[in-house]
Amino acid sequence: QVQLVESGGGLAQPGASLRLSCAASGIIFITYGFSTYATAWYRQAPGKQRELLASITSGGSPEYADSVKGRFTISRDNAKNTVFLQMNSLKPEDTAVYYCNLHKWAVDYWGQGTQVTVSS
């Protein structure tokens, strides 16, 4: 199994920045390294569907939703089994629970989520 733990959320003012981290662990990485998994960040605001924000595979180019393009940056450190989401120029509409996702062979793994609240 895979365990994902997000961190870095919290309260931020409009225009500020936050950096989310997602640390992955699991025995399965001994056989199939973290680098072989596609990684992504999603978010879910109250009353709304979960939204894909950004994704990246090892050796691939990152892709972004239009809502965050130019403001958010996804990156990964395969040596540390960690994926990041740098969020700049935060807006109140970015308020949501943010989830880390790992994907491989039609199987998705999710973290517990971290709350991001953007408010003055």
Side-chain angles (χ1 to χ4, degrees):
Q1 285 291 354
V2 172
Q3 294 80 43
L4 303 176
V5 179
E6 299 103 333
S7 61
L11 176 64
Q13 292 191 338
S17 298
L18 285 175
R19 189 190 194 207
L20 305 184
S21 299
C22 173
S25 62
I27 296 176
I28 196 169
F29 292 134
I30 296 175
T31 303
Y32 305 106
F34 175 80
S35 65
T36 66
Y37 288 75
T39 57
W41 285 94
Y42 289 71
R43 70 184 178 191
Q44 188 166 20
K48 294 187 176 182
Q49 290 188 334
R50 192 168 294 189
E51 173 189 17
L52 173 61
L53 301 177
S55 62
I56 188 170
T57 59
S58 293
S61 299
E63 297 184 352
Y64 299 95
D66 289 342
S67 58
V68 304
K69 195 173 296 183
R71 299 189 299 123
F72 290 10
T73 302
I74 188 172
S75 61
R76 58 191 292 167
D77 184 340
N78 290 331
K80 296 183 178 180
N81 292 3
T82 303
V83 59
F84 305 97
L85 185 68
Q86 177 66 42
M87 306 187 295
N88 298 330
S89 303
L90 284 165
K91 305 175 181 180
E93 52 263 43
D94 293 321
T95 296
V97 178
Y98 284 68
Y99 296 92
C100 175
N101 170 270
L102 259 63
H103 177 87
K104 186 178 177 68
W105 294 337
V107 178
D108 286 292
Y109 301 96
W110 298 93
Q112 81 289 348
T114 185
Q115 176 70 46
V116 171
T117 302
V118 183
S119 174
S120 56

